[in-house]
Amino acid sequence: MNNNQKGFKSGFVSIIGRPNVGKSTLLNYVIGQKIAIMSDKPQTTRNKIQGVFTNNEAQIVFIDTPGIHKPKHKLGDFMMKVAQNTLREVDLVLYVVDAAEAFGTGEEFIIERLKGTKTPVFLVINKIDKIHPDELLKVIETYRNKHEFKEVIPISALQGNNVPTLMEQITEYLEEGPQYYPSDQVTDHPERFVVSELIREKVLHLTREEIPHSIAVNVEQMKRRDNSDTVYIGATIIVERSSQKGIIIGKQGSMLKEVGKRARGDIEALLGSKVFLEIWVKVQKDWRNKAAHLRDFGFREDEY
């Protein structure tokens, strides 16, 4: 039911920042559910995952953009374009930085992009639990000298420190508006997409350095079995080389079994029912540079 009460606020907020600064961790903390995949490998978020936060005063629709970075191939170009377009579409931008990381060329690159947008920007300094409080003032000063931020808010997304203050500041900044989504809706992505991201997350966690980002997951089937509370899911992991296929399958299928076991736990929590998960691994050489393949795996330019 839409909330059109007087004083109710709503708006769209984009979360940007270099890879690994904790954008997904922040989104997951705020929404309270695992909707953006978390990995310590950079650039794992490819699509605009929207997290929807609703309380009695406001509805905040978060857009988690791909990490802004210098593109290296067609997928990189596409992700960069998505990030740039998102900045123009939202009411507020949260620029998340890592308090423990020194200011470098990556930050310069992003701040240059921010200078070209009229959208107000909050600087969110994450991972403050990793530094001494005295250091924080230096970090704030460094960034303030580079750009005019509307607000500077230090947080720890992992522990939740100061996140309520951030949410209050965002709400204060938004204008009165309608409730776009039902109160219990946390993401506008179809479940199939979230399922594919959860499987992808497990592969990245378990294979560590051996498997680069050249994997995609295609959920081909997702249906409830007749007269049962079990959902059948058939998914394919796409890799670029046969050697990667071997790593993901593992000795006597051990790695693939572990990926399936871990992913199934998260998917069951997401769907609230038992899941029968079948996963295959397929090689498609150089899929990242083939535009047709990018479209097949859900990276459609007209949608983003």
Side-chain angles (χ1 to χ4, degrees), residues 129-196:
D129 47 302
K130 287 189 169 180
I131 62 165
H132 191 276
D134 294 348
E135 292 294 303
L136 186 57
L137 292 172
K138 290 181 198 161
V139 176
I140 293 172
E141 200 179 341
T142 302
Y143 281 93
R144 276 211 186 275
N145 288 336
K146 300 284 180 183
H147 188 71
E148 203 178 307
F149 297 102
K150 294 290 177 192
E151 299 286 344
V152 176
I153 303 153
I155 64 159
S156 167
L158 198 59
Q159 298 174 353
N161 298 0
N162 222 23
V163 175
T165 304
L166 171 64
M167 298 303 288
E168 280 164 26
Q169 297 273 39
I170 292 169
T171 304
E172 212 170 288
Y173 223 80
L174 296 178
E175 292 181 3
E176 282 191 26
Q179 184 175 321
Y180 296 99
Y181 296 99
S183 303
D184 59 353
Q185 186 167 337
V186 295
T187 171
D188 79 338
H189 272 273
E191 288 162 337
R192 198 178 273 239
F193 167 74
V194 182
V195 165
S196 72

Side-chain angles (χ1 to χ4, degrees), residues 137-286:
L137 292 172
K138 290 181 198 161
V139 176
I140 293 172
E141 200 179 341
T142 302
Y143 281 93
R144 276 211 186 275
N145 288 336
K146 300 284 180 183
H147 188 71
E148 203 178 307
F149 297 102
K150 294 290 177 192
E151 299 286 344
V152 176
I153 303 153
I155 64 159
S156 167
L158 198 59
Q159 298 174 353
N161 298 0
N162 222 23
V163 175
T165 304
L166 171 64
M167 298 303 288
E168 280 164 26
Q169 297 273 39
I170 292 169
T171 304
E172 212 170 288
Y173 223 80
L174 296 178
E175 292 181 3
E176 282 191 26
Q179 184 175 321
Y180 296 99
Y181 296 99
S183 303
D184 59 353
Q185 186 167 337
V186 295
T187 171
D188 79 338
H189 272 273
E191 288 162 337
R192 198 178 273 239
F193 167 74
V194 182
V195 165
S196 72
E197 286 288 81
L198 288 171
I199 295 169
R200 218 167 136 254
E201 175 192 45
K202 303 306 169 219
V203 175
L204 293 174
H205 269 314
L206 287 164
T207 56
R208 294 286 161 194
E209 299 310 310
E210 298 170 291
I211 298 291
H213 281 271
S214 48
I215 65 159
V217 175
N218 204 17
V219 174
E220 280 146 23
Q221 266 191 307
M222 192 163 156
K223 59 182 187 211
R224 197 169 285 280
R225 293 234 153 123
D226 295 341
N227 306 321
S228 84
D229 63 349
T230 302
V231 176
Y232 170 78
I233 296 172
T236 305
I237 297 168
I238 315 287
V239 295
E240 287 188 316
R241 292 194 294 279
S242 302
S243 59
Q244 294 168 347
K245 181 178 177 176
I247 291 165
I248 290 174
I249 291 172
K251 211 172 183 179
Q252 294 172 322
S254 58
M255 180 63 85
L256 194 58
K257 260 188 209 135
E258 188 59 26
V259 167
K261 190 175 106 187
R262 293 191 186 189
R264 196 177 67 242
D266 273 2
I267 295 164
E268 285 180 341
L270 174 81
L271 302 179
S273 60
K274 286 194 186 123
V275 166
F276 182 84
L277 178 62
E278 237 179 325
I279 305 176
W280 301 272
V281 186
K282 199 158 111 186
V283 179
Q284 284 197 359
K285 288 185 172 55
D286 203 25

Side-chain angles (χ1 to χ4, degrees), residues 60-156:
I60 302 163
V61 183
F62 287 97
I63 299 180
D64 189 21
T65 61
I68 291 187
H69 59 286
K70 290 176 183 163
K72 291 194 183 82
H73 41 60
K74 274 193 190 166
L75 178 58
D77 279 337
F78 175 74
M79 288 163 72
M80 188 70 205
K81 210 182 285 178
V82 171
Q84 293 288 86
N85 287 343
T86 307
L87 294 186
R88 292 197 292 271
E89 294 164 5
V90 296
D91 301 302
L92 183 64
V93 174
L94 301 185
Y95 172 29
V96 182
V97 300
D98 183 338
E101 290 279 322
F103 187 95
T105 53
E107 282 76 23
E108 290 281 8
F109 187 77
I110 293 174
I111 284 173
E112 276 309 304
R113 302 286 164 297
L114 290 177
K115 282 180 177 155
T117 176
K118 292 187 174 78
T119 313
V121 183
F122 281 13
L123 176 69
V124 179
I125 302 172
N126 191 22
K127 307 189 188 182
I128 53 169
D129 47 302
K130 287 189 169 180
I131 62 165
H132 191 276
D134 294 348
E135 292 294 303
L136 186 57
L137 292 172
K138 290 181 198 161
V139 176
I140 293 172
E141 200 179 341
T142 302
Y143 281 93
R144 276 211 186 275
N145 288 336
K146 300 284 180 183
H147 188 71
E148 203 178 307
F149 297 102
K150 294 290 177 192
E151 299 286 344
V152 176
I153 303 153
I155 64 159
S156 167

